[in-house]
Amino acid sequence: MNMLDRELTSLQLFSGLEHEDASHICNSLQMTEFAANKSILNEGESIQALWIILSGECIVSRSAESGPEQPLALLTTGDVFGEMSFVRTAPHSASIRAVTDVTACCYRREDFLKLSQQRPNVALQVTSNIADVLAERLRRMDTWVCEIMARPEESKHRSEWEKFRAAVYINWNF
Amino acid sequence: MNAYESACHYFANAASVMDLSPNMKRLLLTPEREVKVQVAMKMDNGEIATFVGYRIQHNSARGPMKGGLRFHPDVDAQEVLALASLMTWKTAVVDIPYGGAKGGISVAPKSLSDAELELMTRKFVDELQDVIGPDKDIPAPDMGTNAQVMAWIVNQYEKYHGFNPACVTGKPLELHGTDGREEATGRGVGLLTAAMLQKFNRSLDGTTIAIQGFGNVGSFAASYLHDNGAKVVAISDISGGRYDPAGIDIAAAVLHVARHRSLDGFETAQQISNEELLALDVDVLIPAALGGVLTKENAADVRAQYVVEAANGPVLPDADQILHERDIVVLPDILANAGGVTVSYFEWVQNQQYFRWDLERTRAELAKTLTVSFEKMWDIATQKHIPLRSAAYLMGIGRVGRATVLAGI
């Protein structure tokens, strides 16, 4: 196992795997480099692959119903993305863009399906690790939802301010 | 109902007409800063006296805060807060670039010697000097204070901050005061009474007037009204009322007060009580002394067709409602007695510019400011079919509100 493999197998995705199994997966990974500011995945596209950041930083963002794109998270070395489309065929829910120069490796779903047939126990462990990643993100999502639930007060304040502005500028401006 | 509740009531009335939310009302009513200080000093006889002083800075959305300093035994935090909020609406109604504040010490100034009064004033400035100033909060004379007290204030303030005449208004002429400041509130009352009567196709000529209170406001209002053709038939002070259906010789009354410090001993056709004065059969009633003199108990006795609030808050809300139902027109305090703060503004302007105006210019500018404000208030009242007081509050709250919206919170 080379140094890169050792780095990879220490990641959460390979947690609980034998070295030989992790190394087997590493052989099917495709290394890619992205320059800073380059788009890596676009919201709405559908590429069934899991990405692992080996170096650099990426930003996750999503277009809002109105106004500019909303940044959701900053990903860094060791983080993975694309996991939702990886486990279920669906367009990407967000866009990923390189903030710095980024090196990432890509694990295609077809390689994972082969692994499931050849080494089902290993595939099960990888699936479990991906579920961990998803669970962690779901927990973070819960926190956001709580924050959003608290926002009606804030928007009430905004509309209160706008109502006041209208009162003093339109209805009662002499 | 105390002064604070009364001020809140009038504000709340206008705010509900404007359909302001409870949070916006709270924002506009809550003072920006309340200062309560100990004023401790050695009296002439060696005893230690401790007074409590207040300065409440209500709102600075439209500019540095402005308001009087009152030395009176009734001074307390609630009263000062009520008067501070009134100043916010008042400076907005006459559209001078100020916010509102008020302050004072709970003391009977007449119980102090001149030396004690000076020492107490200076000690008070020691406590306040870091929160007042020409661009922060500019005090002025009020009940129990005068130009001499303002001179001590500016002198004490300058010990900390250097030459700074604009830190206070109502100063003596010799110390950067302005000609026309002393008469300003009373003159304004007179000017506005004439402007109001004109709207009813009446002039001052032959109009009968009763004035409660013959201090700085009442006496100058009486002089202006008398000099411009009105018949002032009743005046009063703490010594009681004087009534003469043929008209009182106001110049003689002013001279008497200058000599004897009160109307005590000034003889007219009839001696009446202050309460009787309020119920006289006159055209215009001008309460120019304390607040809260017209209540639900005596409002029905008022026989005047017009009430001009020269004092702050002389008509309590219940009485205001009764007068309104009886079609008696009330010219509200936040405009009626705004002549004083308007000329205070002129004094501040002169101090900032190192340029002195003559009396004619001050009087002309005062008349212009008050007339423009009155016309605006009258138009609002006519358009919206609301009493003058509501119109004045709508004007004041609207101006403060627009400044608040522009600046943000």
Side-chain angles (χ1 to χ4, degrees), chain B residues 25-39:
Chain B
K25 287 185 212 170
R26 188 173 159 77
L27 172 69
L28 291 172
L29 271 185
T30 306
E32 291 181 14
R33 180 193 266 157
E34 296 182 68
V35 182
K36 181 178 179 183
V37 297
Q38 177 203 63
V39 183

Side-chain angles (χ1 to χ4, degrees), chain B residues 123-200:
Chain B
K123 290 269 183 182
F124 192 32
V125 176
D126 289 340
E127 299 298 330
L128 290 184
Q129 56 82 19
D130 54 347
V131 296
I132 60 173
D135 302 321
K136 293 182 191 171
D137 176 5
I138 307 128
D142 204 284
M143 279 168 60
T145 58
N146 55 21
Q148 172 62 78
V149 174
M150 299 305 116
W152 292 327
I153 291 174
V154 74
N155 180 265
Q156 194 67 11
Y157 183 85
E158 287 178 341
K159 287 177 183 170
Y160 293 93
H161 302 281
F163 179 70
N164 231 311
C167 74
V168 65
T169 59
K171 300 178 293 291
L173 270 179
E174 297 83 349
L175 289 173
H176 308 275
T178 184
D179 237 351
R181 172 64 184 86
E182 202 184 357
E183 67 175 21
T185 307
R187 189 178 179 84
V189 168
L191 282 162
L192 290 163
T193 303
M196 177 183 65
L197 289 172
Q198 207 172 28
K199 293 292 178 190
F200 295 94

Side-chain angles (χ1 to χ4, degrees), chain A residues 156-157 160-161 163-165 167-169 171-174, chain B residues 17-18 20-21 23-24 376 380 384 394 401-402 405-406:
Chain A
K156 192 169 96 187
H157 166 75
E160 196 166 21
W161 189 249
K163 196 177 160 200
F164 181 64
R165 185 194 295 272
V168 294
Y169 268 102
N171 305 336
W172 302 101
N173 191 7
F174 302 101
Chain B
V17 170
M18 294 175 83
L20 300 189
S21 71
N23 289 334
M24 291 312 301
K376 192 136 211 160
I380 295 169
K384 301 285 178 186
L394 290 181
R402 284 188 287 283
V405 163
L406 284 171

